[in-house]
Amino acid sequence: MTYCLGILSHAGLVMAADSRTNAGVDYISTHQKLFDFSNPGERVILICTAGNLSTTQGALTLLRRDLLANEAVNLHTLPTLYEVARYVGSKARQIQEQDRPWLEKDGIDFKCTFLVGGQVRGEEPALFLVYSQGNCIQASKETPFLQVGEAKYGKPILDRILDFNTPLEAAAKCALLSIDSTMKSNISVGPPINVVMYETDTFKIRYELKLSLGAPYLAQIRKKWEISLNEAFDRMPNIDWEHYQELPVDPDATD
């Protein structure tokens, strides 16, 4: 399992991913899940991967092969980021169809998902979630973030903090807290954590970092977040048991 996150803001884009892979309790390792396929000055393309590792690695290999061979259709020739996302999906389908008979025979789950984010010159920044079947959905002003992998533990903070007008720096901080919350609750997600922050119309990556296990900043935000949550919890009013005991019970109430 893994956890990847993309956040779309009025000022750009943040993408983040952990690096843990889990093939059972006896085999846990790390593999990079966030990849930069940008062509500086022309387009920024960031891809996060989740799901079956052999499928995602195979799809990435095909993407790189088309770039090296200067194929007519590749990540740097497609005119829109939507078409880039569909192209990534087609490579995932190609690998799945190639290996499907043998994987199904042994009951191996070969599904995968991708986050594709960035900006192609002439367009606004965009973010897509590409499903295992090759189709995709797009982030919007109303839904400015997309997740793949072990998403549930890191979602509450995103729901409460983020909107399309959230500044990029705040979005990046929120992404890290979302991943840290997931690591706290699920051992299948873990460091190193890769984070990229892209500013609209710059067409190059200026801000990226890799936080390994024991990174001072990661430890600092975890400690401060836990303290802040405990302080907020302590400020919540206690339950007024006597008040609610005095309320009449409506036998016809459905709630």
Side-chain angles (χ1 to χ4, degrees):
M1 188 55 75
T2 191
Y3 178 37
C4 302
L5 168 65
I7 301 171
L8 187 66
S9 163
H10 72 287
L13 182 76
V14 172
M15 294 187 72
D18 82 315
S19 302
R20 180 163 292 175
T21 61
N22 182 6
V25 294
D26 295 325
Y27 188 74
I28 295 176
S29 60
T30 59
H31 289 273
Q32 184 176 338
K33 305 291 182 64
L34 173 56
F35 302 91
D36 183 3
F37 287 91
S38 301
N39 182 14
E42 292 298 324
R43 62 183 60 198
V44 165
I45 299 175
L46 300 165
I47 299 177
C48 289
T49 66
N52 183 279
L53 187 61
S54 67
T55 304
T56 58
Q57 287 185 340
L60 291 172
T61 296
L62 295 181
L63 296 174
R64 294 188 183 100
R65 186 191 66 182
D66 286 355
L67 281 171
L68 289 172
N70 199 26
E71 295 287 346
V73 177
N74 65 54
L75 291 172
H76 293 170
T77 62
L78 290 161
T80 67
L81 200 67
Y82 170 76
E83 291 173 86
V84 168
R86 295 289 299 188
Y87 167 69
V88 171
S90 72
K91 295 303 181 183
R93 282 200 309 268
Q94 183 178 337
I95 293 295
Q96 289 176 94
E97 289 304 314
Q98 175 181 314
D99 297 338
R100 181 187 300 273
W102 308 105
L103 294 172
E104 287 184 339
K105 179 182 177 181
D106 291 328
I108 296 174
D109 184 0
F110 52 85
K111 294 183 176 65
C112 61
T113 48
F114 300 83
L115 291 179
V116 178
Q119 184 179 19
V120 173
R121 188 169 289 279
E123 293 189 319
E124 294 296 316
L127 173 66
F128 295 88
L129 189 162
V130 182
Y131 293 105
S132 192
Q133 296 81 1
N135 58 321
C136 62
I137 61 172
Q138 184 174 1
S140 65
K141 291 182 179 180
E142 294 72 29
T143 308
F145 67 87
L146 296 171
Q147 304 165 280
V148 293
E150 189 56 81
K152 57 183 176 290
Y153 300 105
K155 190 172 186 292
I157 184 175
L158 304 176
D159 287 332
R160 295 182 188 279
I161 299 297
L162 290 179
D163 61 41
F164 186 69
N165 293 313
T166 300
L168 270 182
E169 285 285 355
K173 181 166 57 177
C174 191
L176 283 172
L177 285 171
S178 178
I179 292 180
D180 182 71
S181 297
T182 305
M183 291 194 298
K184 179 73 172 177
S185 299
N186 192 310
I187 62 171
S188 70
V189 175
I193 299 171
N194 291 284
V195 185
V196 172
M197 184 174 74
Y198 168 68
E199 299 171 303
T200 300
D201 292 337
T202 58
F203 296 102
K204 62 180 179 180
I205 301 298
R206 292 177 176 172
Y207 304 99
E208 57 183 325
L209 56 82
K210 181 177 182 179
L211 296 172
S212 300
L213 181 65
Y217 179 73
L218 203 56
Q220 181 184 29
I221 64 169
R222 169 171 287 193
K223 181 178 180 180
K224 287 183 176 294
W225 184 240
E226 289 179 349
I227 291 172
S228 298
L229 285 176
N230 277 283
E231 290 176 347
F233 177 79
D234 288 340
R235 289 196 297 270
M236 293 297 102
N238 290 330
I239 301 171
D240 187 351
W241 296 102
E242 293 184 2
H243 170 76
Y244 287 105
Q245 287 175 349
E246 294 174 357
L247 291 177
V249 178
D250 183 357
D252 298 323
T254 58
D255 294 335

